[in-house]
Amino acid sequence: MHRYLLVLLALSAGLLASGAVSGQQASPQAGKNTAELQQARVLLKFGRDDIVKEEMRFSEAEAEAFWPVYDRYDADLLVIRDRYAELVTGYTAAYRAGTVSEAQANQIIDDYLEIQSELLRIKRKYLGDFRKVLPARKAARFYQLENKMEVELEFQLAQVIPLIDPV
């Protein structure tokens, strides 16, 4: 993957994290956070599409068949990614306020695992569609590329999301 595209993904994750980590606050700040999250989402979408276009090396026919499937896939993932951003936002706000209870900790775990399950369900759901429009090696490459982008974003977020206090 080209370095400048990785930097764009890292920047997007940083913007997402800065919006998420600052938490939900008073109305003017909440509006600012919403704008930051929206900006990060736009940058992330732009960066992902560029990476996919560049790294997949589609033929014209493959591209024509791939992008409509990808757009549906991405729209489904966006709903779940938004839930993840809300989870991170809620957790970091509670963490900073020092109010993460045992019940909240249990709910955070349950919500996180549900989000991860849903992400996997969507990836499985669309695999057949991607296989219909791409040769197997390109479908595999696409999923590898998706994994690399997700790992990069998770790494960026992991650097700024604080660990829950054990007591």
Side-chain angles (χ1 to χ4, degrees), residues 7 11 14 16 21 24 28 34 39 43 55-58 67 74 78 82 92 104 115 127-128 131 141:
V7 169
L11 173 63
L16 178 63
V21 170
Q24 297 171 344
T34 301
Q39 181 182 15
L43 284 172
E55 293 296 326
M56 290 302 296
R57 300 181 215 131
F58 292 126
W67 290 108
D74 193 52
L78 183 62
D82 283 351
T92 55
Q104 285 173 309
I115 288 166
L127 178 58
R131 284 179 169 159
R141 183 178 178 90

Side-chain angles (χ1 to χ4, degrees), residues 9-10 12-14 16-17 44 48 80-81 84-85 87-88 112 115-116 119 123 146-161:
L9 276 175
S12 299
L16 178 63
L44 178 58
R48 278 183 178 266
I80 306 308
R81 288 178 179 145
Y84 184 48
L87 178 66
V88 170
Y112 175 77
I115 288 166
Q116 293 303 309
L119 288 170
K123 289 175 185 181
E146 281 285 288
N147 184 55
K148 283 185 176 219
M149 289 186 287
E150 288 174 13
V151 167
E152 177 66 28
L153 290 171
E154 287 296 322
F155 173 74
Q156 297 294 327
L157 287 172
Q159 292 183 55
V160 296
I161 297 172

Side-chain angles (χ1 to χ4, degrees), residues 135-145:
R137 291 171 59 96
K138 281 198 177 173
R141 183 178 178 90
F142 171 70
Y143 275 84
Q144 287 177 316
L145 195 55

Side-chain angles (χ1 to χ4, degrees), residues 1 17 26 40 47 50-51 62 68 70 76 78 84 87 89 93 99 104-105 115 118 123 129 144 159 161-162:
M1 223 180 309
D50 266 1
I51 291 170
E62 289 169 341
Y70 177 81
D76 283 356
L78 183 62
Y84 184 48
L87 178 66
T89 300
T99 61
Q104 285 173 309
I115 288 166
E118 190 64 18
K123 289 175 185 181
D129 293 338
Q144 287 177 316
Q159 292 183 55
I161 297 172

Side-chain angles (χ1 to χ4, degrees), residues 39-66:
Q39 181 182 15
R41 183 188 290 161
V42 168
L43 284 172
L44 178 58
K45 173 79 171 134
F46 173 77
R48 278 183 178 266
D49 289 358
D50 266 1
I51 291 170
V52 171
K53 283 176 189 173
E54 187 163 331
E55 293 296 326
M56 290 302 296
R57 300 181 215 131
F58 292 126
S59 69
E60 196 171 308
E62 289 169 341
E64 187 176 315
F66 172 82

